[in-house]
Amino acid sequence: MGRQNRSTNAAAQGKQHFSHPHILKPIVNSAEYVGSTLTCNACEKQNNSNKPFYGCNSCLYFLHENCFNAPRFLVHSSHPSHPLTLLQTPTYSSRSYTCKACGSAGNGFCFSCAACEFDIHLECASCPSSVLVDKHPHQLGLHFGSPYDDKSVEYVCDICSVVMNKDDWLYYCAGCDFGSHVQCAIVRPEVGVFPKQQCPISDSIPNPNRNPNATLEMINAANEAHEQIVAAQISAQIAARGREACLDLIGSPRRYSYF
């Protein structure tokens, strides 16, 4: 009984997350936030339901519980050559990225391969491998790009009737040639349970077919991503100091010397 109380108290006190220096405490139907809508810093989506949030009140930093629990590394079937690293901030100078899954821009968390400049939203990374939709009787499988061998062929979404980007992911039934945007098949995508084929590699589970260099690749990917973030931050600081120096020169009175 005492152990259960200690566990409950520990959960109420909050948890540490790699993306924030302060402890994030659970926020569940808190009276402090009645009438307001919280936005998750990871997926950039608002919390319009009663799903639990973790937050730092002093910094106004919040994460959905599912986003909080997203794995740091992910072996995803859309990018089998390298493991993906969960990044808090895109490594690009623009501080944004274009998701390879849905083609839309993102500024929050992403699963990234820095070596290949491959980035996907958290909710796109957790898309199920197959879904059922109201407009089709068969299961639709997840495809990472056009289902046609001829990539120049345009494909129209059978749900919204809009031409699809050939590089975007889609759900597709090959037997019926029926396909749809990911966002059309999943009306309200969110970060959820990752399918088994997308689970991160665990050193504790023996697997004779596992790539022996996979763990090293994950470490290298994380180090490379971190180095790119640091380099981008240093470049931004240098640029800011340069602008400040120019402003100081413009604002200071000119001194003339006479010989």
Side-chain angles (χ1 to χ4, degrees):
M1 191 68 173
R3 180 178 300 177
Q4 183 177 359
N5 289 337
R6 285 195 296 270
S7 299
T8 303
N9 292 335
Q13 291 174 0
K15 299 179 181 179
Q16 186 71 56
H17 193 266
F18 79 92
S19 66
H20 195 70
H22 305 141
I23 295 294
L24 302 183
K25 296 183 179 181
I27 302 171
V28 183
N29 298 328
S30 173
E32 183 180 353
Y33 298 98
V34 171
S36 63
T37 302
L38 305 182
T39 299
C40 177
N41 285 74
C43 67
E44 303 176 276
K45 294 184 180 297
Q46 294 180 338
N47 190 30
N48 296 320
S49 65
N50 292 325
K51 293 185 177 180
F53 243 50
Y54 284 93
C56 173
N57 294 338
S58 60
C59 301
L60 296 179
Y61 186 88
F62 304 101
L63 296 177
H64 287 112
E65 184 177 41
N66 286 347
C67 294
F68 184 99
N69 292 323
R72 288 299 309 276
F73 301 102
L74 193 64
V75 177
H76 198 282
S77 47
S78 66
H79 193 71
S81 54
H82 304 111
L84 305 179
T85 305
L86 181 61
L87 299 181
Q88 176 191 2
T89 305
T91 58
Y92 312 110
S93 58
S94 63
R95 288 295 184 270
S96 65
Y97 64 93
T98 300
C99 178
K100 296 293 185 182
C102 64
S104 60
N107 300 100
F109 285 23
C110 63
F111 279 110
S112 174
C113 173
C116 302
E117 296 188 356
F118 181 95
D119 309 273
I120 52 178
H121 291 114
L122 270 69
E123 62 268 26
C124 290
S126 60
C127 284
S129 58
S130 62
V131 295
L132 281 171
V133 297
D134 294 336
K135 293 189 175 183
H136 194 70
H138 307 140
Q139 279 195 335
L140 307 180
L142 183 61
H143 283 244
F144 307 121
S146 173
Y148 299 121
D149 293 333
D150 184 356
K151 303 304 180 183
S152 64
V153 176
E154 288 188 342
Y155 194 84
V156 177
C157 175
D158 288 300
I159 294 180
C160 71
S161 301
V162 173
V163 176
M164 303 175 66
N165 188 324
K166 62 182 180 180
D167 295 322
D168 290 352
W169 298 2
L170 74 157
Y171 281 105
Y172 185 68
C173 173
C176 304
D177 193 28
F178 181 99
S180 79
H181 293 105
V182 169
Q183 59 268 30
C184 290
I186 306 176
V187 180
R188 294 181 179 177
E190 63 179 31
V191 179
V193 178
F194 292 87
K196 291 182 179 180
Q197 72 269 22
Q198 297 174 340
C199 288
I201 296 174
S202 173
D203 290 333
S204 61
I205 302 175
N207 183 354
N209 299 320
R210 192 181 71 190
N211 180 1
N213 297 321
T215 302
L216 180 59
E217 288 180 1
M218 285 194 293
I219 295 173
N220 289 338
N223 290 338
E224 184 176 356
H226 177 71
E227 289 173 0
Q228 288 193 15
I229 291 174
V230 172
Q233 291 172 343
I234 293 174
S235 298
Q237 290 174 0
I238 293 173
R241 290 174 182 173
R243 289 192 295 269
E244 290 176 0
C246 290
L247 291 174
D248 290 342
L249 289 174
I250 295 172
S252 61
R254 296 184 180 180
R255 298 181 180 179
Y256 298 91
S257 298
Y258 298 92
F259 298 94

